[in-house]
Amino acid sequence: MDDGARHHSEIVCRDVVDLATDYLECAVRGLLRGDFESHLAGCEDCRAYLGQLLVVIRAASHIPHSWPAQDDRARSLELFRTWRSERAGSSEAT
Ligand SMILES: [Zn+2]
């Protein structure tokens, strides 16, 4: 693994996946939230992912107040992997 010149507080796409549901629940706060949002600002992929995640979650749970759960978290990870592998095709091969 090569972390390059990554700052200690900078979050990466994988962190966005981990935090996505928390973020959408407004459970990500403070410095972490700032890092999350600045990653989003510079990462079109994660913005698109978050948008898709919202659509999926809303479709899956008709009641916006009760979407919680580990289940959704696991599902969102799966969604992300699928979504990335669909898009990755030409660009990256990690
Ligand atoms: Zn990203």
Side-chain angles (χ1 to χ4, degrees):
M1 271 216 206
D2 181 14
D3 283 339
R6 188 148 55 108
H7 295 294
H8 74 283
S9 65
E10 190 175 324
I11 70 177
V12 297
C13 294
R14 238 170 55 195
D15 299 325
V16 169
V17 177
D18 286 342
L19 293 169
T21 51
D22 286 341
Y23 177 76
L24 294 175
E25 291 173 315
C26 299
V28 178
R29 295 177 199 286
L31 195 61
L32 184 58
R33 188 184 177 95
D35 288 340
F36 188 94
E37 287 179 340
S38 65
H39 179 93
L40 283 186
C43 185
E44 195 182 334
D45 281 353
C46 284
R47 283 203 303 274
Y49 165 67
L50 222 69
Q52 280 216 346
L53 185 58
L54 261 180
V55 170
V56 168
I57 287 171
R58 279 178 183 155
S61 62
H62 300 279
I63 310 155
H65 294 298
S66 69
W67 81 359
Q70 309 294 324
D71 247 25
D72 282 351
R73 206 155 298 194
R75 208 168 299 161
S76 73
L77 264 173
E78 210 178 296
L79 171 72
F80 184 75
R81 290 202 189 101
T82 306
W83 170 80
R84 272 197 73 101
S85 62
E86 278 170 2
R87 291 175 55 107
S90 52
S91 52
E92 59 180 338
T94 35

